[in-house]
Amino acid sequence: MDSVLIIWHKQKSNPSLSSHQKFYLAKEIAHSYFSLDLYIEASEFYKKSANLLKETKAIDSDEQVKFYDEISHFYYSVSNNKGFRYYLLKVIEIQEENPRKFLKELTEAYDKLINNYLEYGDINNAKLYRSKLESLAVINELAPGNLHHKLWLTSLLYDLKITVAEKKIAASESIYNELKQYFFNLKSKRDYLVYYAEATNFYTEAIFKTGRNKEALDILDESIMLHKEMGNDLSLLNTYSYYSYLVRELKDYNTAHLTIDKAISLLTPNNFLDLSGLFTSKGIIYFNEKKFEKAVECFDKAHLLIKSIDNSNFHLLSYNIEISKKYFEIYKETGNEKLLQQSFNSYKYSVKQFLDFYENGFLNQLLAEFKNNITEGLLNIGMESKSNVSEIVEMIENIQSRFLWKNYLLNSRFDNAELVNELSQIKTLQLKLASISVLSADKNQTRLSKTQIKNQIELLEKKLIEKYPYYHNIFSPTFVLADFLAKMNTEILHFYVVNNSIFGVHLKSKNDIAIKKIGNTDEIKKKVAMLNEKLQEKTSLEYESKYLYKKFLKPFNLASPQITIVSNSFISKFPFEFLIDDKGDYVVEKYSINYAISLSLYEIQNKHKNRNNFRLAVFQPRYNNKTMPTLPFAEKEATYLQQKFESVLFSGKEASKKNFISNASNFSIYHLPMHAIIDDNEEDISRLLLDDEDFYFSDFYAQRFPLDLVVLSACETGVGKIVEGEGIMSLSRAFTHSGVASTVYSLWEIPDKQTFEIMQLFYDNLSKGFSKSEALQKAKIEYIKSCKAEKLRHPFYWSGFVLNGNPEALIEKKNDRAPYFLAIFIIPFGWLLFLKLRK
């Protein structure tokens, strides 16, 4: 080892060493460090060897596969999920060029990758590679018997895991029975026991959650007996772990301890991953028995083991979140302040793990669950300890979805000649993604095709970060609360819906941040549902409006006339403007309100520099070739804007998809008085109805609209399907993805005449230099005051349009005092001139 390191350190001064030789040298050093369990040093040299591999062309595909497989195995051993998957995909990329040659290896690689995607919660990718595994079936027919069995059992196992993840219990039962029957028909079961064991563990946990307790335990008993006969300790300890979990849930703590201890006895002391999980489980048993000191001892051991691994995968992250939660619960039971700090430190480490684990894409159900649990834990700590509040808010913001944040950055203001070629490749793939028909009859194939293209985009982004490390913050941005608060010119209320509770965070300044618990999620949801029902019926909303005011606004000491409401949950589905305060006044009469999806995205949107002009384009379809009627007041809206602000009107055939896309850089505002179709189940089917082709939700992901403002003067453009962790899949969100700094959109189907009246008032106020939020506030107040019919003053008619994003004025406000200042200057000057002439 010393000799090799001497050669390595001298290689910089030895020009005779080729990249090829340097690669093998670095790889050998990395391998040696790995074998000595010196993981930090091994990681450094594996990175060096991977970089050297790019420089040399002399390494054949077999050697590349061998190296990438070794480095993926290294990252798996140190629980580095991102590194493991990245290099495993490189292995697969080479093997897929010759699947016959690499049949066994490719089967194993698909096996690892499917399992990894399932642990990450990415069911779509798990299905994609399950379909690839199935495509090996033709070659499988020519495969030797043992490989044939592995392929078949692997396929069944992942069908089972996918159906369990999708909570399709009946389908899971059928697949499990098929796999079990196949396994018991094998002559040599020992070689395939791992497939049966893993399937049994997954299946029994699934049926246990449906109440089939005895059946689940009986199946696990049978599995344990078989393991003892065959002497497979690794599979046996996993089965013991599952058994302990089930009996713990049934409050049979003695049996739970007994089986956990048996599992621990089967482990070697250096198996930190499994030990951390078993000590976490044992700690939970003690916690349930209210033996808090023993529980803390176990949690301390588990937490130290997790930190010593210093990476993250699904298991380590879930263990540490549970430990963090239990520290806090024990603090609440005992009042031990030390445990509150331990809980905070442990959650802080969970944030690090989450960021190591999360890959900056769309949050899936599992990631959203992790995010919610960490968020709830940190907010609970923030309510107990004021000293860590700023750090808590910053950590919470950094584990929110980065999908929209990242793409807004790319589409709004990121324009670098150095990256034109690479970004154009991504844009080409995005166009290809958008071109896949959302109305295809084969939904499954459509989903697989989209997933494959998304993977290619993700791979290109990773290559970009490798090539230009200084652009890492574009593809993996970080939110710094202090920077945000230093530039904040509004009060912010951020509402978090986590598990069964809603929390509110009030941001006034760096030293003035308050966290409060708003209430129970289900209870508030019922009130919101009742309010929406009455809203559509146009009956009195007073009771519900006052109730929600007392829940969401009254607890906070609001001093500014401008408020930003941040939420990406069902809270975004009602406007705060029609809430009624203790004096009986609408909130809109006191506050101008704008909305945001996250603090991080809002910060970037506020950095958008408005063009300080009023270049307005109006797209007004006539629907001559469609069954949709022309909106009666849409033409009046268009005519008014054209006459008053010299807007450019794209009407009839001119209101085409081509013009819609190609003119975005020529204008600062798009005004869209048109129909929209919103699908609450399939967001990709949601669309704006233009005169020729419809503009689908998915189309936005391939476009760049760096506009100051888009006004969606159409029906329900701010509603859509709620995706856990991502928010409402609305057309407004789609425009934000494309780089639009702010949108005005509707939360329900507002009558055409009232839409026209409010839009007139809104644009008049904008043209006077008011901020977008003030312009909309004033428009609503003016509408209420000028409306003569009492029934038309109902919030249904005026409160449905809301502003999301940058609230700043589009043009500089006219100085109304200028004539007075001018008079003060001219009158004395004129008097002096008069006296001079008189002389």
Side-chain angles (χ1 to χ4, degrees):
M1 183 71 185
D2 290 340
S3 302
V4 176
L5 282 170
I6 289 167
I7 296 169
W8 174 259
H9 289 305
K10 287 185 176 180
Q11 55 95 12
K12 289 183 180 177
S13 59
N14 185 359
S16 63
L17 276 178
S18 65
S19 296
H20 183 268
Q21 290 169 314
K22 290 176 186 176
F23 162 71
Y24 279 108
L25 186 60
K27 184 168 80 77
E28 185 59 36
I29 295 170
H31 182 78
S32 300
Y33 276 132
F34 184 21
S35 64
L36 294 168
D37 294 337
L38 297 169
Y39 299 133
I40 295 173
E41 294 85 351
S43 177
E44 180 189 346
F45 276 91
Y46 273 126
K47 286 174 184 174
K48 289 181 191 295
S49 53
N51 289 330
L52 286 163
L53 181 57
K54 295 174 192 173
E55 296 176 18
T56 179
K57 308 293 182 184
I59 310 296
D60 64 26
S61 60
D62 284 4
E63 280 296 306
Q64 287 183 48
V65 165
K66 190 176 176 183
F67 170 68
Y68 288 137
D69 190 55
E70 180 181 331
I71 194 169
S72 73
H73 174 64
F74 164 72
Y75 280 121
Y76 179 79
S77 300
V78 298
S79 299
N80 185 321
N81 187 71
K82 290 180 182 176
F84 165 68
R85 189 190 301 171
Y86 180 71
Y87 285 103
L88 181 58
L89 284 166
K90 282 184 171 290
V91 169
I92 288 171
E93 189 178 5
I94 298 167
Q95 290 173 341
E96 284 182 335
E97 292 175 4
N98 193 345
R100 286 184 181 277
K101 178 182 176 181
F102 294 109
L103 178 59
K104 180 183 176 184
E105 294 83 355
L106 192 54
T107 302
E108 290 174 353
Y110 284 158
D111 181 13
K112 291 176 187 175
L113 191 59
I114 295 167
N115 193 54
N116 181 266
Y117 276 127
L118 284 168
E119 288 188 343
Y120 188 74
D122 190 342
I123 295 174
N124 285 337
N125 258 314
K127 285 182 173 180
L128 173 65
Y129 283 92
R130 168 64 187 91
S131 71
K132 290 191 175 193
L133 190 64
E134 194 171 6
S135 71
L136 296 177
V138 176
I139 307 171
N140 170 29
E141 291 176 7
L142 305 173
N146 63 335
L147 183 55
H148 176 92
H149 296 319
K150 282 186 177 180
L151 278 166
W152 187 251
L153 285 166
T154 300
S155 298
L156 284 172
L157 177 61
Y158 287 115
D159 281 344
L160 175 66
K161 286 187 173 184
I162 289 166
T163 53
V164 166
E166 294 179 322
K167 299 180 181 177
K168 298 176 179 176
I169 299 301
S172 302
E173 185 169 6
S174 175
I175 294 165
Y176 175 71
N177 288 332
E178 186 180 353
L179 185 148
K180 184 178 177 181
Q181 188 64 46
Y182 189 94
F183 170 76
F184 277 102
N185 286 338
L186 292 170
K187 290 180 180 177
S188 176
K189 296 179 182 61
R190 185 185 296 273
D191 295 339
Y192 310 103
L193 181 62
V194 64
Y195 298 98
Y196 163 73
E198 197 168 352
T200 298
N201 292 339
F202 264 82
Y203 176 66
T204 51
E205 184 181 16
I207 64 170
F208 182 85
K209 287 177 179 177
T210 66
R212 292 158 65 179
N213 304 342
K214 186 177 184 306
E215 184 184 350
L217 291 172
D218 287 345
I219 293 170
L220 282 179
D221 277 327
E222 183 184 11
S223 178
I224 288 169
M225 292 285 290
L226 190 63
H227 278 87
K228 286 180 176 177
E229 286 175 22
M230 296 188 177
N232 189 319
D233 286 351
L234 182 61
S235 288
L236 181 58
L237 80 88
N238 285 331
T239 306
Y240 276 143
S241 181
Y242 272 86
Y243 195 94
S244 176
Y245 161 68
L246 300 192
V247 294
R248 183 188 84 208
E249 292 298 296
L250 295 171
K251 296 183 170 55
D252 182 358
Y253 300 131
N254 289 333
T255 308
H257 276 301
L258 182 66
T259 46
I260 278 289
D261 290 341
K262 284 179 180 178
I264 291 172
S265 70
L266 294 172
L267 280 174
T268 56
N270 64 347
N271 190 335
F272 291 176
L273 175 60
D274 289 329
L275 274 172
S276 62
L278 294 174
F279 278 123
T280 302
S281 293
K282 193 163 181 65
I284 293 170
I285 300 167
Y286 280 131
F287 175 84
N288 290 348
E289 293 176 305
K290 296 196 178 296
K291 296 176 180 177
F292 297 133
E293 284 187 20
K294 288 187 176 182
V296 169
E297 283 178 25
C298 289
F299 293 141
D300 287 348
K301 284 180 185 177
H303 183 63
L304 283 172
L305 288 167
I306 291 165
K307 288 191 77 173
S308 66
I309 296 170
D310 195 31
N311 266 306
S312 187
N313 62 22
F314 159 76
H315 302 286
L316 292 170
L317 178 55
S318 59
Y319 300 154
N320 204 65
I321 292 172
E322 190 61 36
I323 290 167
S324 309
K325 181 182 177 185
K326 288 294 182 276
Y327 279 144
F328 181 79
E329 288 175 352
I330 296 171
Y331 153 73
K332 292 293 282 185
E333 289 274 355
T334 64
N336 186 341
E337 294 285 341
K338 182 183 173 185
L339 289 170
L340 180 64
Q341 187 60 41
Q342 277 183 262
S343 180
F344 174 71
N345 292 338
S346 186
Y347 271 120
K348 190 173 180 179
Y349 193 74
S350 293
V351 169
K352 176 190 176 299
Q353 288 178 295
F354 183 89
L355 294 175
D356 286 344
F357 188 60
Y358 174 47
E359 297 187 351
N360 300 317
F362 216 66
L363 284 184
N364 57 53
Q365 189 174 348
L366 178 68
L367 289 169
E369 187 178 323
F370 283 147
K371 185 261 303 177
N372 281 346
N373 289 336
I374 295 170
T375 300
E376 182 174 36
L378 285 170
L379 289 170
N380 277 321
I381 291 170
M383 290 179 67
E384 296 286 328
S385 171
K386 307 301 179 189
S387 59
N388 297 316
V389 168
S390 292
E391 191 175 0
I392 282 170
V393 173
E394 182 172 288
M395 285 193 290
I396 289 172
E397 193 59 30
N398 276 303
I399 60 170
Q400 304 304 306
S401 171
R402 297 185 180 188
F403 177 77
L404 201 56
W405 182 13
K406 177 183 72 175
N407 284 288
Y408 178 82
L409 266 174
L410 284 168
N411 286 318
S412 64
R413 60 188 184 87
F414 193 61
D415 189 15
N416 190 292
E418 190 176 28
L419 295 180
V420 166
N421 184 48
E422 286 89 344
L423 289 174
S424 67
Q425 291 178 54
I426 291 174
K427 186 59 69 179
T428 301
L429 285 169
Q430 288 174 329
L431 287 165
K432 187 177 178 183
L433 186 67
S435 71
I436 296 173
S437 175
V438 294
L439 301 175
S440 169
D442 191 344
K443 299 286 184 190
N444 192 49
Q445 188 53 49
T446 299
R447 192 177 292 111
L448 293 180
S449 299
K450 286 190 165 192
T451 300
Q452 195 146 19
I453 295 171
K454 286 175 183 176
N455 291 345
Q456 291 174 288
I457 292 170
E458 186 180 311
L459 188 61
L460 276 173
E461 287 179 359
K462 286 177 180 175
K463 287 179 179 177
L464 270 174
I465 293 172
E466 283 183 5
K467 190 173 179 181
Y468 309 106
Y470 38 91
Y471 288 123
H472 184 272
N473 202 44
I474 295 293
F475 295 99
S476 183
T478 303
F479 177 77
V480 180
L481 182 65
D483 294 348
F484 173 76
L485 293 175
K487 296 169 187 173
M488 185 178 74
N489 55 6
T490 176
E491 287 186 55
I492 292 175
L493 285 174
H494 196 326
F495 296 106
Y496 297 96
V497 178
V498 285
N499 302 323
N500 299 316
S501 300
I502 300 174
F503 291 82
V505 176
H506 181 204
L507 297 157
K508 289 181 85 171
S509 67
K510 182 180 178 181
N511 300 315
D512 194 352
I513 302 172
I515 300 175
K516 295 183 186 291
K517 202 166 193 173
I518 302 299
N520 176 271
T521 304
D522 290 338
E523 181 186 323
I524 292 172
K525 268 187 176 179
K526 285 177 184 175
K527 287 289 189 297
V528 171
M530 198 177 298
L531 181 141
N532 284 328
E533 190 177 318
K534 289 185 175 182
L535 186 74
Q536 296 303 316
E537 293 170 354
K538 305 176 192 64
T539 54
S540 174
L541 309 174
E542 187 172 357
Y543 174 74
E544 289 77 17
S545 292
K546 285 184 175 179
Y547 171 86
L548 293 173
Y549 172 80
K550 286 174 183 174
K551 285 289 183 184
F552 286 99
L553 296 182
K554 189 175 180 179
F556 303 100
N557 182 25
L558 297 168
S560 169
Q562 166 67 43
I563 308 171
T564 298
I565 306 289
V566 184
S567 177
N568 68 346
S569 67
F570 75 93
I571 293 168
S572 306
K573 287 198 167 188
F574 70 89
F576 279 62
E577 286 89 332
F578 69 24
L579 301 187
I580 298 172
D581 67 16
D582 291 338
K583 294 178 181 178
D585 297 327
Y586 288 122
V587 164
V588 73
E589 296 176 68
K590 188 173 181 182
Y591 302 106
S592 64
I593 299 176
N594 68 300
Y595 299 82
I597 294 167
S598 68
L599 293 178
S600 48
L601 179 61
Y602 184 56
E603 178 183 35
I604 301 296
Q605 287 176 304
N606 277 348
K607 288 178 181 177
H608 174 95
K609 298 296 181 187
N610 290 327
R611 301 181 199 183
N612 204 29
N613 62 31
F614 223 78
R615 290 285 295 154
L616 171 62
V618 181
F619 286 83
Q620 189 235 326
R622 295 189 183 278
Y623 304 120
N624 293 327
N625 301 319
K626 296 188 178 182
T627 55
M628 283 287 182
T630 302
L631 294 167
F633 281 85
E635 191 168 347
K636 285 189 177 182
E637 250 180 75
T639 304
Y640 170 78
L641 293 172
Q642 191 178 24
Q643 290 174 351
K644 176 123 187 194
F645 303 107
E646 297 181 354
S647 65
V648 176
L649 176 61
F650 295 91
S651 182
K653 290 181 181 179
E654 294 298 309
S656 64
K657 188 173 181 178
K658 181 183 176 183
N659 281 334
F660 191 77
I661 293 169
S662 62
N663 280 282
S665 59
N666 301 326
F667 296 92
S668 58
I669 309 168
Y670 265 13
H671 182 81
L672 311 176
M674 59 178 68
H675 285 293
I677 291 177
I678 308 299
D679 193 292
D680 282 337
N681 298 314
E682 290 281 343
E683 67 266 16
D684 282 350
I685 297 174
S686 296
R687 58 200 184 272
L688 287 170
L689 303 185
L690 293 165
D691 223 51
D692 54 351
E693 297 178 67
D694 294 340
F695 201 87
Y696 283 87
F697 190 97
S698 55
D699 289 328
F700 287 96
Y701 292 137
Q703 302 304 330
R704 186 169 181 263
F705 292 119
L707 295 153
D708 297 342
L709 174 66
V710 168
V711 179
L712 292 156
S713 183
C715 302
E716 300 180 300
T717 44
V719 301
K721 173 184 171 185
I722 293 183
V723 174
E724 181 66 37
E726 291 291 338
I728 300 172
M729 298 294 105
S730 65
L731 288 167
S732 166
R733 174 194 167 93
F735 269 110
T736 302
H737 177 285
S738 302
V740 174
S742 54
T743 54
V744 170
Y745 55 86
S746 58
L747 293 173
W748 55 80
E749 192 171 338
I750 298 166
D752 201 25
K753 184 178 184 295
Q754 282 69 43
T755 295
F756 170 56
E757 290 174 17
I758 289 170
M759 284 300 148
Q760 266 188 303
L761 294 166
F762 171 63
Y763 277 103
D764 282 349
N765 290 322
L766 275 181
S767 69
K768 293 172 184 173
F770 287 106
S771 70
K772 297 167 205 161
S773 55
E774 285 178 309
L776 192 55
Q777 177 198 22
K778 287 179 179 296
K780 291 174 179 179
I781 293 171
E782 287 167 30
Y783 169 83
I784 296 168
K785 287 181 177 177
S786 64
C787 187
K788 293 177 182 177
E790 177 65 31
K791 68 175 185 178
L792 295 179
R793 287 199 288 270
H794 190 278
F796 173 82
Y797 294 99
W798 57 264
S799 67
F801 281 108
V802 295
L803 171 73
N804 187 289
N806 182 322
E808 298 301 316
L810 289 173
I811 58 174
E812 194 173 335
K813 193 170 184 179
K814 293 173 183 176
N815 192 342
D816 295 335
R817 296 185 181 182
Y820 299 103
F821 288 120
L822 193 62
I824 290 167
F825 173 77
I826 289 174
I827 291 169
F829 179 78
W831 179 250
L832 287 171
L833 185 63
F834 168 75
L835 291 174
K836 186 177 180 181
L837 290 171
R838 188 179 176 191
K839 286 179 182 179

